[in-house]
Amino acid sequence: MTRTRMLLSAACAALLATGAQADENANMVIDGTEMKIRADAPAHMENVDEIMSGWVFRSVETQALQLDDFDNPAFVFVDQAIDLWDKVDGSEGKACSSCHEDVEDFAGLRTKLPRVDDGQLVSMENLVNECRTERMGAEPWKWSGGQMTAMTALIGLQSRGMPVDVAIDGDAAPFWEKGKELYYTRVGQLDMSCSNCHEDNYGVMIRADHLSQGQINGFPTYRLKNAKLNSTHGRFKGCMKNIRAEPFKEGGDEFKALELYLASRGSGLAVETPSVRN
Ligand code: HEC
Ligand code: HEC
């Protein structure tokens, strides 16, 4: 363990000790799943010993909001998605519920995405839009628009508490390699890579905010800052803009590859959708 890493671990320990809430919940076990922290990080994360959900790095107040479904503001949008589920749209006169009996049938899906279908890397947004355009004759939803993030929150919620478990071998391997490369490539006017913040410096303060490991197990996430659900790719875009880089396109190949790679870095963390962040 390097000296910086030791200092950072100390910072995380201090962070965990900031409130009783954090102490109690940090290692909460649900159905045998270590909810917030996994002690044995995947082998490809060279400089990380423990993987931690972004929840661990939030204030006690924000943590509490996520833990209570009645207080969690994301559930307003989950309710909207429940209405959308039954709403007829498109030339075929169908709603999601015309074909999918129960949204609960999607339990486990979130843990496996993105995945390769017929040689293409697909995210949940692709699957939803494929149904809309190919099966309903409806317009696709915008990748990070309100309807899409509401629906991916509702579908993701069905996997809450289940461990993230994306495939990274076989057909997925080249996409994963691409995502890994993007993660470690310095970009933008500030010449930084994702790893410079989320691997080398998690636990430290940056502009009055605690840097997390940049995990995606809680997405889409409700942000107090913009009072809406935020997609995974929307968050990547924000981080790229912050380092003054030209962001990749939401739903594009680069962000999907990055999504797969990040999911694998959080392998074993429980799905926390819909999470709450500042
Ligand atoms: C200059 C530092 C910096 C860089 C570089 C950076 N980020 Fe971030 N990122 C942040 C900050 C600050 C936050 C908000 C606090 C947190 O969760 O770390 C954040 C949050 C995130 C989150 C949300 C985590 C959660 O639990 O809600 C993800 C995902 C993420 N970043 C991914 C990335 C990716 C992918 C890259 C590279 C394209 C990247 N970041 C580059 C600073 C950075
Ligand atoms: C005309 C029937 C039909 C409609 C309407 C429909 N779907 Fe589908 N959907 C399917 C079929 C068929 C599949 C592929 C087989 C499967 O996995 O169930 C599928 C697959 C999916 C998947 C991927 C499931 C998996 O395990 O890979 C998701 C997510 C999904 N649909 C969401 C939706 C949503 C959300 C709506 C409404 C916006 C919707 N679907 C509307 C028929 C439909």
Side-chain angles (χ1 to χ4, degrees):
M1 191 187 267
T2 61
R3 191 177 135 71
T4 9
R5 176 62 46 225
M6 276 168 67
L7 287 173
L8 288 176
S9 297
C12 288
L15 187 63
L16 286 172
T18 49
Q21 189 102 38
D23 260 356
E24 274 166 30
N25 293 307
N27 289 304
M28 189 160 60
V29 174
I30 295 184
D31 294 338
T33 304
E34 190 99 335
M35 181 76 175
K36 310 295 183 191
I37 295 182
R38 185 180 150 198
D40 54 327
H44 55 88
M45 295 172 66
E46 285 149 29
N47 198 22
V48 179
D49 301 317
E50 283 183 328
I51 61 172
M52 300 177 185
S53 162
W55 178 90
V56 173
F57 299 86
R58 303 285 43 101
S59 70
V60 172
E61 293 76 21
T62 310
Q63 290 179 336
L65 275 182
Q66 180 180 316
L67 293 178
D68 185 335
D69 290 356
F70 290 97
D71 289 342
N72 182 339
F75 277 85
V76 171
F77 302 97
V78 169
D79 286 342
Q80 289 175 4
I82 292 171
D83 293 338
L84 280 175
W85 181 256
D86 290 323
K87 193 171 167 230
V88 171
D89 196 7
S91 58
E92 303 304 305
K94 290 201 180 343
C96 312
S97 56
S98 312
C99 301
H100 298 284
E101 207 169 304
D102 198 324
V103 71
E104 286 174 24
D105 296 342
F106 291 134
L109 182 63
R110 175 71 276 167
T111 67
K112 301 284 183 191
L113 298 176
R115 70 170 186 227
V116 177
D117 278 353
D118 300 326
Q120 305 259 33
L121 187 62
V122 298
S123 298
M124 190 182 287
E125 288 85 347
N126 297 118
L127 294 170
V128 170
N129 268 344
E130 189 182 314
C131 282
R132 289 188 54 78
T133 58
E134 308 302 308
R135 300 186 173 111
M136 296 169 71
E139 288 295 314
W141 282 330
K142 243 183 111 208
W143 192 273
S144 297
Q147 289 151 317
M148 183 62 90
T149 50
M151 188 56 76
T152 57
L154 173 65
I155 297 174
L157 173 64
Q158 311 309 317
S159 302
R160 191 164 62 171
M162 297 179 188
V164 173
D165 183 25
V166 283
I168 63 172
D169 54 357
D171 300 357
F175 297 102
W176 183 83
E177 288 294 346
K178 179 178 174 179
K180 184 177 182 188
E181 191 188 318
L182 289 169
Y183 188 82
Y184 287 102
T185 303
R186 290 168 177 270
V187 290
Q189 279 174 36
L190 300 191
D191 194 32
M192 293 182 84
S193 66
C194 313
S195 66
N196 289 151
C197 284
H198 294 299
E199 177 165 312
D200 303 339
N201 283 302
Y202 67 85
V204 304
M205 294 293 281
I206 172 170
R207 281 198 236 134
D209 201 1
H210 260 121
L211 261 180
S212 74
Q213 293 182 345
Q215 297 288 356
I216 58 170
N217 58 312
F219 277 82
T221 189
Y222 179 88
R223 293 192 64 188
L224 300 165
K225 182 182 153 182
N226 59 15
K228 63 172 185 130
L229 286 175
N230 295 262
S231 72
T232 315
H233 293 193
R235 181 83 234 207
F236 296 170
K237 199 171 153 184
C239 280
M240 289 190 80
K241 281 188 178 164
N242 285 344
I243 50 176
R244 311 228 161 76
E246 180 66 40
F248 299 116
K249 200 172 153 272
E250 292 182 358
D253 292 344
E254 292 87 357
F255 275 170
K256 282 196 279 183
L258 205 45
E259 183 185 344
L260 175 63
Y261 179 66
L262 283 196
S264 79
R265 290 177 68 91
S267 164
L269 283 180
V271 172
E272 290 176 25
T273 307
S275 60
V276 182
R277 301 288 184 260
N278 45 326

